PDB file of all heavy atoms in Angstrom:
ATOM      1  N   VAL L   7       1.409  18.606  -8.536  1.00 92.00           N
ATOM      2  CA  VAL L   7       2.631  18.621  -7.735  1.00 92.00           C
ATOM      3  C   VAL L   7       2.337  18.601  -6.230  1.00 92.00           C
ATOM      4  O   VAL L   7       2.941  17.812  -5.495  1.00 92.00           O
ATOM      5  CB  VAL L   7       3.546  19.808  -8.129  1.00 92.00           C
ATOM      6  CG1 VAL L   7       4.750  19.916  -7.213  1.00 92.00           C
ATOM      7  CG2 VAL L   7       3.984  19.672  -9.579  1.00 92.00           C
ATOM      8  N   LYS L  23      15.491  21.974   1.130  1.00 95.00           N
ATOM      9  CA  LYS L  23      15.907  22.661  -0.093  1.00 95.00           C
ATOM     10  C   LYS L  23      15.050  22.146  -1.249  1.00 95.00           C
ATOM     11  O   LYS L  23      14.766  20.950  -1.315  1.00 95.00           O
ATOM     12  CB  LYS L  23      17.364  22.344  -0.451  1.00 95.00           C
ATOM     13  CG  LYS L  23      18.401  22.893   0.454  1.00 95.00           C
ATOM     14  CD  LYS L  23      19.762  22.586  -0.180  1.00 95.00           C
ATOM     15  CE  LYS L  23      20.851  22.462   0.830  1.00 95.00           C
ATOM     16  NZ  LYS L  23      22.117  22.046   0.221  1.00 95.00           N
ATOM     17  N   LYS L  28      10.089  24.176 -14.797  1.00 94.00           N
ATOM     18  CA  LYS L  28       8.713  23.938 -15.224  1.00 94.00           C
ATOM     19  C   LYS L  28       8.451  24.719 -16.493  1.00 94.00           C
ATOM     20  O   LYS L  28       9.132  25.697 -16.795  1.00 94.00           O
ATOM     21  CB  LYS L  28       7.726  24.361 -14.142  1.00 94.00           C
ATOM     22  CG  LYS L  28       7.737  25.857 -13.856  1.00 94.00           C
ATOM     23  CD  LYS L  28       6.790  26.211 -12.740  1.00 94.00           C
ATOM     24  CE  LYS L  28       6.791  27.685 -12.434  1.00 94.00           C
ATOM     25  NZ  LYS L  28       6.243  28.541 -13.467  1.00 94.00           N
ATOM     26  N   LEU L  34      -2.041  22.067 -25.355  1.00 87.00           N
ATOM     27  CA  LEU L  34      -3.321  22.026 -24.640  1.00 87.00           C
ATOM     28  C   LEU L  34      -3.839  23.446 -24.454  1.00 87.00           C
ATOM     29  O   LEU L  34      -3.072  24.362 -24.179  1.00 87.00           O
ATOM     30  CB  LEU L  34      -3.148  21.358 -23.271  1.00 87.00           C
ATOM     31  CG  LEU L  34      -2.807  19.871 -23.271  1.00 87.00           C
ATOM     32  CD1 LEU L  34      -2.504  19.406 -21.850  1.00 87.00           C
ATOM     33  CD2 LEU L  34      -3.938  19.055 -23.868  1.00 87.00           C
ATOM     34  N   LYS L  35      -5.126  23.620 -24.585  1.00 90.00           N
ATOM     35  CA  LYS L  35      -5.732  24.950 -24.465  1.00 90.00           C
ATOM     36  C   LYS L  35      -6.035  25.261 -22.995  1.00 90.00           C
ATOM     37  O   LYS L  35      -7.183  25.490 -22.623  1.00 90.00           O
ATOM     38  CB  LYS L  35      -6.981  25.027 -25.332  1.00 90.00           C
ATOM     39  CG  LYS L  35      -6.677  24.968 -26.823  1.00 90.00           C
ATOM     40  CD  LYS L  35      -7.930  25.031 -27.652  1.00 90.00           C
ATOM     41  CE  LYS L  35      -7.733  25.003 -29.135  1.00 90.00           C
ATOM     42  NZ  LYS L  35      -6.594  24.463 -29.727  1.00 90.00           N
ATOM     43  N   GLU L  84       0.695  -0.763 -12.087  1.00 84.00           N
ATOM     44  CA  GLU L  84       0.872  -2.214 -12.165  1.00 84.00           C
ATOM     45  C   GLU L  84       0.512  -2.923 -10.856  1.00 84.00           C
ATOM     46  O   GLU L  84       0.596  -4.153 -10.786  1.00 84.00           O
ATOM     47  CB  GLU L  84       2.321  -2.546 -12.541  1.00 84.00           C
ATOM     48  CG  GLU L  84       2.740  -2.012 -13.906  1.00 84.00           C
ATOM     49  CD  GLU L  84       2.002  -2.696 -15.047  1.00 84.00           C
ATOM     50  OE1 GLU L  84       1.709  -3.908 -14.945  1.00 84.00           O
ATOM     51  OE2 GLU L  84       1.721  -2.014 -16.055  1.00 84.00           O
ATOM     52  N   LYS L  96      19.022 -10.108  -4.759  1.00 97.00           N
ATOM     53  CA  LYS L  96      17.878 -10.434  -5.607  1.00 97.00           C
ATOM     54  C   LYS L  96      16.659  -9.582  -5.273  1.00 97.00           C
ATOM     55  O   LYS L  96      16.601  -8.928  -4.231  1.00 97.00           O
ATOM     56  CB  LYS L  96      17.534 -11.912  -5.518  1.00 97.00           C
ATOM     57  CG  LYS L  96      17.046 -12.388  -4.170  1.00 97.00           C
ATOM     58  CD  LYS L  96      16.741 -13.885  -4.241  1.00 97.00           C
ATOM     59  CE  LYS L  96      16.032 -14.342  -2.979  1.00 97.00           C
ATOM     60  NZ  LYS L  96      15.599 -15.720  -3.066  1.00 97.00           N
ATOM     61  N   LYS L 123     -14.534   9.445   4.012  1.00 93.00           N
ATOM     62  CA  LYS L 123     -14.984   8.811   5.263  1.00 93.00           C
ATOM     63  C   LYS L 123     -14.363   9.523   6.468  1.00 93.00           C
ATOM     64  O   LYS L 123     -15.036   9.799   7.448  1.00 93.00           O
ATOM     65  CB  LYS L 123     -14.626   7.326   5.290  1.00 93.00           C
ATOM     66  CG  LYS L 123     -15.520   6.461   4.444  1.00 93.00           C
ATOM     67  CD  LYS L 123     -15.076   5.002   4.540  1.00 93.00           C
ATOM     68  CE  LYS L 123     -15.886   4.130   3.616  1.00 93.00           C
ATOM     69  NZ  LYS L 123     -15.408   2.733   3.589  1.00 93.00           N
ATOM     70  N   PHE L 125     -13.217  12.609   6.603  1.00 93.00           N
ATOM     71  CA  PHE L 125     -13.793  13.944   6.700  1.00 93.00           C
ATOM     72  C   PHE L 125     -15.153  13.902   7.401  1.00 93.00           C
ATOM     73  O   PHE L 125     -15.418  14.678   8.325  1.00 93.00           O
ATOM     74  CB  PHE L 125     -13.924  14.570   5.307  1.00 93.00           C
ATOM     75  CG  PHE L 125     -14.583  15.920   5.312  1.00 93.00           C
ATOM     76  CD1 PHE L 125     -13.895  17.042   5.743  1.00 93.00           C
ATOM     77  CD2 PHE L 125     -15.903  16.059   4.899  1.00 93.00           C
ATOM     78  CE1 PHE L 125     -14.504  18.292   5.757  1.00 93.00           C
ATOM     79  CE2 PHE L 125     -16.521  17.298   4.904  1.00 93.00           C
ATOM     80  CZ  PHE L 125     -15.816  18.418   5.330  1.00 93.00           C
ATOM     81  N   LYS L 134     -10.029  12.251  14.305  1.00 93.00           N
ATOM     82  CA  LYS L 134      -9.324  13.477  13.925  1.00 93.00           C
ATOM     83  C   LYS L 134      -9.128  13.500  12.414  1.00 93.00           C
ATOM     84  O   LYS L 134      -9.047  12.454  11.774  1.00 93.00           O
ATOM     85  CB  LYS L 134      -7.962  13.538  14.609  1.00 93.00           C
ATOM     86  CG  LYS L 134      -8.042  13.754  16.091  1.00 93.00           C
ATOM     87  CD  LYS L 134      -6.651  13.889  16.681  1.00 93.00           C
ATOM     88  CE  LYS L 134      -6.760  14.176  18.164  1.00 93.00           C
ATOM     89  NZ  LYS L 134      -5.456  14.393  18.772  1.00 93.00           N
TER      90      LYS L 134
END
Side-chain angles (χ1 to χ4, degrees):
V7 174
K23 291 186 208 175
K28 65 183 180 68
L34 293 173
K35 292 179 179 23
E84 298 293 325
K96 65 180 190 174
K123 283 180 185 175
F125 177 75
K134 290 184 177 183

